[in-house]
């Protein structure tokens, strides 16, 4: 409540935001996951709580609040933003554990099972994967592990390879499957981007294994290893709560990765560059809307992320030259899902 009050005050009087307030506002990113856990352990209509919250409530908030365009950087070693980032690892574990608990105790039965799967998928796609994206851009082994783990919980076995080695190098060119073409629908993009990234990641990983003298179809292949882990997890899930839960889990993974591709879709839609041209602040769409900034830990300052990929999320800036989205990530999902809009 204190954060909401602060937001309203800053919106009304156009105060410059401090780095301290900004850091606390990143804790809003935890709210969707907490709602998922609550819905899973209480069942009933609460199981759909995060669907309504993330896709409706946050979208409406984003539509009526102004942008936070201030550049309130305070260094790269802020403890609070990193602490909030790491909280998403146990939070995602809690989401999965409470999902199994809810099914096991028949709190999530019939339609509520599917409500819960969709609710969790929205957090996984717009929360866990967003945090994974931040983690895999960091160089230390623990952060890399956290990123891979969160991607595993989304059923994603290609993003870690393809995003770092292809997307950031070839964004805006024909070599990047994750750049949406002008006029392309989000549905067509979901297929071309997903399949293109899987193909590209497999090619890169098999080449790496061959160059290092390792078995292409062996344990050293990251994609093979992730798929084996998934089979182990899926088998355990069926053993604990039954096959229907596995179907719901697959639905969760598909929707979560669709949301990942939706984000890719609006981040680079229609923007092009020459393969010889350096990536700059003009090759990604940006947004300083409230929800996009703080629920998605400044992922929406995407132009700066591609300009300087190594910058931690809480040091990203906006640029006057960067193309500005007509809305935020939460409020643009409906127009994206209805192509004529």
């Amino acid at each position: 409540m204190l954060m909401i009050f602060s937001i309203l005050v800053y919106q009304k009087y156009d105060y410059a935001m401090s780095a301290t307030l900004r850091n606390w506002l990143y804790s809003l990113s935890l709210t969707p996951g907490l709602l998922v856990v609550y819905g899973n352990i209480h069942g009933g209509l609460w199981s759909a709580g995060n669907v309504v919250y993330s896709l409706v409530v946050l979208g409406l908030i984003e539509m009526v609040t102004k942008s936070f365009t201030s550049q309130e950087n305070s260094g790269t070693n802020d403890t609070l933003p990193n602490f909030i980032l790491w909280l998403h690892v146990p939070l995602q574990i809690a989401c999965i554990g409470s999902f199994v608990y809810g099914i096991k105790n028949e709190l999530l039965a019939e339609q509520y099972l599917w409500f819960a799967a969709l609710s969790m998928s929205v957090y996984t796609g717009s929360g866990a994967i967003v945090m994974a994206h931040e983690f895999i851009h960091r160089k230390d082994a623990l952060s890399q592990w956290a990123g891979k783990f969160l991607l595993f919980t989304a059923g994603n076995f290609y993003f870690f390879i393809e995003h770092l080695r292809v997307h950031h190098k070839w964004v805006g060119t024909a070599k990047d499957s994750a750049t949406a073409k002008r006029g392309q629908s989000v549905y067509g993009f979901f297929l071309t981007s997903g399949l293109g990234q899987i193909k590209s990641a497999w090619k890169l990983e098999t080449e790496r294994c061959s160059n290092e003298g390792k078995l292409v179809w062996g344990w050293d292949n990251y994609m093979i290893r992730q798929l084996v882990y998934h089979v182990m997890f899926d088998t355990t899930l069926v053993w604990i709560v039954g096959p229907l839960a596995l179907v719901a889990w697959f639905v969760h993974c598909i929707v979560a990765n669709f949301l990942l591709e939706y984000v890719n879709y609006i981040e680079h839609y229609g923007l092009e560059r020459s393969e010889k041209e350096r990536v700059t602040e003009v090759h990604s769409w940006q947004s300083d809307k409230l929800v996009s900034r703080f629920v998605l830990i400044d992922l929406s300052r995407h132009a700066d992320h591609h300009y300087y990929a190594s910058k931690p999320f809480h040091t990203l800036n906006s640029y006057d030259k960067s193309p500005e989205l007509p809305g935020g990530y939460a409020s643009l999902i409906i127009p994206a899902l209805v192509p004529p809009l």
Side-chain angles (χ1 to χ4, degrees):
M1 290 301 295
L2 179 60
M3 284 191 291
I4 297 299
F5 176 75
S6 299
I7 290 168
L8 294 174
V9 171
Y10 276 73
Q11 289 276 300
K12 181 174 177 59
Y13 295 103
D14 289 323
Y15 290 152
M17 183 183 294
S18 68
T20 300
L21 175 60
R22 177 211 60 200
N23 290 349
W24 278 107
L25 286 174
Y26 288 133
S27 62
L28 291 172
S29 66
L30 299 167
T31 55
L34 293 172
L35 210 64
V36 169
V37 174
Y38 187 88
N40 286 344
I41 63 178
H42 286 82
L45 291 176
W46 280 109
S47 60
N50 187 48
V51 176
V52 177
Y53 174 69
S54 290
L55 300 186
V56 180
V57 176
L58 292 182
L60 291 174
I61 290 174
E62 192 163 69
M63 290 173 66
V64 300
T65 52
K66 296 184 294 186
S67 298
F68 284 104
T69 57
S70 58
Q71 316 287 31
E72 61 285 328
N73 290 346
S74 60
T76 59
N77 297 315
D78 288 351
T79 301
L80 184 57
N82 290 325
F83 178 67
I84 292 171
L85 176 68
W86 276 98
L87 282 178
H88 282 272
V89 176
L91 181 57
Q92 178 70 344
I93 294 173
C95 287
I96 298 170
S98 62
F99 182 66
V100 174
Y101 170 86
I103 299 173
K104 187 74 173 176
N105 291 275
E106 299 183 350
L107 298 168
L108 303 176
E110 298 178 344
Q111 72 268 28
Y112 301 121
L113 171 62
W114 309 108
F115 290 169
L118 290 174
S119 192
M120 188 164 64
S121 71
V122 173
Y123 169 65
T124 299
S126 61
I129 292 179
V130 172
M131 309 307 149
H133 170 261
E134 177 68 20
F135 276 126
I136 65 175
H137 273 282
R138 301 189 174 191
K139 304 300 182 184
D140 62 287
L142 189 59
S143 294
Q144 293 269 305
W145 173 86
K148 293 175 185 177
F149 171 75
L150 290 176
L151 289 172
F152 164 77
T153 65
N156 188 295
F157 53 92
Y158 61 85
F159 186 80
F160 172 73
I161 299 169
E162 217 276 342
H163 180 80
L164 297 174
R165 298 172 62 185
V166 177
H167 178 60
H168 271 269
K169 182 177 181 180
W170 298 112
V171 62
T173 72
K175 292 184 178 180
D176 179 39
S177 299
T179 297
K181 298 178 177 61
R182 182 177 176 86
Q184 186 176 23
S185 76
V186 69
Y187 305 104
F189 176 73
F190 174 59
L191 294 175
T192 59
S193 179
L195 293 174
Q197 289 182 71
I198 291 172
K199 180 180 178 181
S200 174
W202 176 256
K203 181 175 182 292
L204 288 169
E205 191 64 358
T206 54
E207 287 176 351
R208 182 190 66 81
C209 289
S210 297
N211 293 337
E212 295 177 3
K214 299 173 180 177
L215 291 175
V216 168
W217 291 93
W219 192 251
D220 290 310
N221 186 315
Y222 171 81
M223 297 181 73
I224 295 292
R225 191 164 64 249
Q226 290 297 301
L227 289 172
V228 171
Y229 287 149
H230 277 289
V231 171
M232 294 169 61
F233 174 85
D234 296 344
T235 302
T236 303
L237 188 64
V238 171
W239 177 63
I240 295 175
V241 285
L244 191 59
L246 180 61
V247 177
W249 177 257
F250 283 158
V251 169
H252 149 267
C253 290
I254 292 170
V255 175
N257 283 280
F258 179 84
L259 289 174
L260 164 63
E261 297 306 334
Y262 156 72
V263 169
N264 275 333
Y265 179 75
I266 65 171
E267 284 173 341
H268 305 287
Y269 175 87
L271 300 178
E272 299 178 353
R273 70 179 177 95
S274 163
E275 292 180 10
K276 297 180 180 180
E277 183 182 0
R278 183 186 185 277
V279 178
T280 69
E281 74 275 23
V282 303
H283 296 119
S284 306
W285 294 90
Q286 71 178 15
S287 173
D288 281 315
K289 284 290 191 175
L290 167 69
V291 173
S292 297
R293 285 207 57 194
F294 302 117
V295 177
L296 301 179
I297 61 165
D298 268 329
L299 181 69
S300 60
R301 289 189 160 181
H302 207 63
D304 197 20
H305 170 67
H306 271 272
Y307 202 6
Y308 300 104
S310 62
K311 291 176 69 172
F313 69 91
H314 58 285
T315 67
L316 295 172
N317 292 318
S318 291
Y319 293 96
D320 293 335
K321 292 183 179 180
S322 299
E324 192 79 20
L325 285 170
Y329 285 37
S331 56
L332 283 179
I333 190 165
I334 299 302
L337 291 176
V338 184
L341 299 179

